[in-house]
Amino acid sequence: MLATILPVRSLLAAIFMMMAGSGFLSTLIALRLERGGSSTMVIGLVATAYFGGLVIGALRAGAIVRRVGHIRAFATFVALLSVSTLTYALVQQPALWAALRLVDGVCVAGVFICIESWLNDRADSTTRGSVLASYMVALYSGQALGQLLLRSGNTAPQVPFELASILITLAIIPVCLTRTHAPVLEDAASLPLRRLFAASPLGVVGAGITGLMLGAFYGLAAIYAGRVGLDLKGTASFMTIVILGGVALQWPLGRLSDRFDRRLVIIGCFAATLLVSLALATAPGGILLFVLGAAFGGLAFALYPLCVAYVNDRLASHERVAASGQLVLLYSAGAALGPMGAATAMSQAGTGGLFGFIGLAAAGTLAFGLCRLAISAPVPAPEQQDFQILPRTTPVAALLDPAGPEPAPHDDTTGEPWTRT
């Protein structure tokens, strides 16, 4: 394992620092907007701008990478993200912050495209699984630990933004100093949505609704936590626990879905997410809130890779990478809609409206899944593909799937292609 990740250690260090610096900004910005008197709808709109930027970046940032190269593009995206982060500390104006969040989303998507295409280029069929696992650990651990920086705002309001900018800027160093050659960024293939839906209605709907739910959570969970009585430290801990819970359960649930009808596991996860969401919508606070948060993260974070795996079960092998890329965009589109839906629910139903909205989305997908269970046959066990945890970032991430095509190998020192003998 160590020998596998050593050639990409600079890329993993970069994504860890970038996520540690940027991963908690959604939480921080929501809290600052509410403290400044902004309505829940405005906070939801600012969150939506970020996820909209992710979609735009996933579709367009690749052209910049091809034009100027990976290192220059990476440095540009990170520098712009760092500047944006410092701007929050200078001016608190919701319309400006929405524009900045849109820029942030584009930049983060650009960073993901650079890193993921680089990782894919450095991996082959025997190491891609380990590289992907290492990437997921770096990404999620950075995002989870970064939440703890919220506490630094107790002394001076601008400090969290400054710390975030420092970490984001430091992410440039390991990439700019790397001796690893820059790959050629290929166009991410895609399948028509109609083809995907015809192959697996439940997988497609589940991926989109999962984006809706998690977009709502990331955009407004900090507001929920504050309104149920958590202080800044408690809010940071709650967000961290949810993210770590999401990491903990993905693999066990995935292995379970390999052994049984995957639809049953997906439906069971949506049912359990519904129950946990209802409990969170009415939870009074205290330790129970953290237990439920961990359970919610474990269930909700597992839904996307489960849905991708089920779609792949229904497709030919040459279609799977393209399908995964399309499902990432579908997830991101759902995430862009989630904050506004949740904000509307919170405006009408109060604090519990966030998880009421998430629970309603889970209930609708649960009902749809039960209908599909009744009218369609399961995938035969020998035809099910092995479950694989996948990031919900950009279509380029689909190339990291161990079932994907093997990239042409390169020499680590010279950067020149070499030929197997």
Side-chain angles (χ1 to χ4, degrees), residues 114-201:
C114 291
I115 294 292
E116 288 162 2
S117 59
W118 225 325
L119 290 173
N120 179 64
D121 183 76
R122 304 313 301 161
D124 58 30
S125 58
T126 62
T127 62
R128 198 175 296 170
S130 297
V131 169
L132 176 59
S134 302
Y135 175 59
M136 296 290 287
V137 169
L139 191 151
Y140 279 122
S141 61
Q143 185 182 36
L145 294 175
Q147 303 293 326
L148 302 179
L149 294 178
L150 286 171
R151 306 176 185 181
S152 62
N154 287 327
T155 55
Q158 75 278 7
V159 169
F161 293 111
E162 293 170 348
L163 291 176
S165 178
I166 289 171
L167 286 170
I168 291 168
T169 304
L170 286 174
I172 297 177
I173 296 176
V175 171
C176 288
L177 294 181
T178 184
R179 296 170 57 195
T180 303
H181 75 281
V184 175
L185 179 61
E186 300 178 0
D187 290 321
S190 64
L191 284 179
L193 192 57
R194 180 181 300 178
R195 164 72 178 119
L196 287 179
F197 188 80
S200 175

Side-chain angles (χ1 to χ4, degrees), residues 53-58 61 77 104-114 393-394:
L54 280 177
V55 175
I56 295 171
F77 289 131
D104 290 349
V106 173
C107 291
V108 170
V111 167
F112 286 148
I113 287 174
C114 291
T393 49
T394 71

Side-chain angles (χ1 to χ4, degrees), residues 91-407:
V91 182
Q92 181 167 332
Q93 209 285 330
L96 174 62
W97 281 24
L100 290 174
R101 288 307 278 164
L102 182 72
V103 172
D104 290 349
V106 173
C107 291
V108 170
V111 167
F112 286 148
I113 287 174
C114 291
I115 294 292
E116 288 162 2
S117 59
W118 225 325
L119 290 173
N120 179 64
D121 183 76
R122 304 313 301 161
D124 58 30
S125 58
T126 62
T127 62
R128 198 175 296 170
S130 297
V131 169
L132 176 59
S134 302
Y135 175 59
M136 296 290 287
V137 169
L139 191 151
Y140 279 122
S141 61
Q143 185 182 36
L145 294 175
Q147 303 293 326
L148 302 179
L149 294 178
L150 286 171
R151 306 176 185 181
S152 62
N154 287 327
T155 55
Q158 75 278 7
V159 169
F161 293 111
E162 293 170 348
L163 291 176
S165 178
I166 289 171
L167 286 170
I168 291 168
T169 304
L170 286 174
I172 297 177
I173 296 176
V175 171
C176 288
L177 294 181
T178 184
R179 296 170 57 195
T180 303
H181 75 281
V184 175
L185 179 61
E186 300 178 0
D187 290 321
S190 64
L191 284 179
L193 192 57
R194 180 181 300 178
R195 164 72 178 119
L196 287 179
F197 188 80
S200 175
L202 176 58
V204 170
V205 171
I209 296 299
T210 300
L212 191 77
M213 296 190 302
L214 290 180
F217 173 80
Y218 277 120
L220 293 162
I223 306 303
Y224 163 86
R227 291 181 182 177
V228 297
L230 296 182
D231 58 11
L232 196 60
K233 179 180 178 180
T235 299
S237 299
F238 177 74
M239 296 297 294
T240 299
I241 286 172
V242 171
I243 295 170
L244 293 178
V247 176
L249 283 187
Q250 286 191 52
W251 191 256
L253 289 171
R255 294 295 93 189
L256 187 67
S257 75
D258 286 342
R259 299 185 59 186
F260 301 98
D261 183 351
R262 208 180 310 270
R263 298 176 303 171
L264 295 176
V265 180
I266 293 173
I267 290 170
C269 282
F270 273 111
T273 301
L274 169 60
L275 295 176
V276 172
S277 296
L278 293 177
L280 283 165
T282 57
I287 190 64
L288 178 62
L289 195 68
F290 294 93
V291 174
L292 292 171
F296 172 80
L299 294 163
F301 279 49
L303 283 168
Y304 175 76
L306 285 171
C307 290
V308 173
Y310 183 58
V311 172
N312 286 340
D313 289 341
R314 297 278 185 172
L315 295 173
S317 58
H318 67 276
E319 297 177 303
R320 288 170 187 150
V321 170
S324 296
Q326 189 78 324
L327 290 172
V328 168
L329 292 177
L330 184 63
Y331 168 90
S332 299
L337 297 174
M340 290 306 297
T344 301
M346 293 181 77
S347 297
Q348 299 297 320
T351 302
L354 168 61
F355 284 101
F357 172 80
I358 293 174
L360 182 62
T365 314
L366 171 61
F368 181 75
L370 291 173
C371 291
R372 295 300 307 169
L373 196 66
I375 64 177
S376 64
V379 176
E383 297 179 17
Q384 282 197 167
Q385 304 300 306
D386 289 340
F387 172 84
Q388 180 64 57
I389 298 176
L390 291 172
R392 310 177 304 272
T393 49
T394 71
V396 177
L399 299 174
L400 286 168
D401 190 331
E406 182 177 352

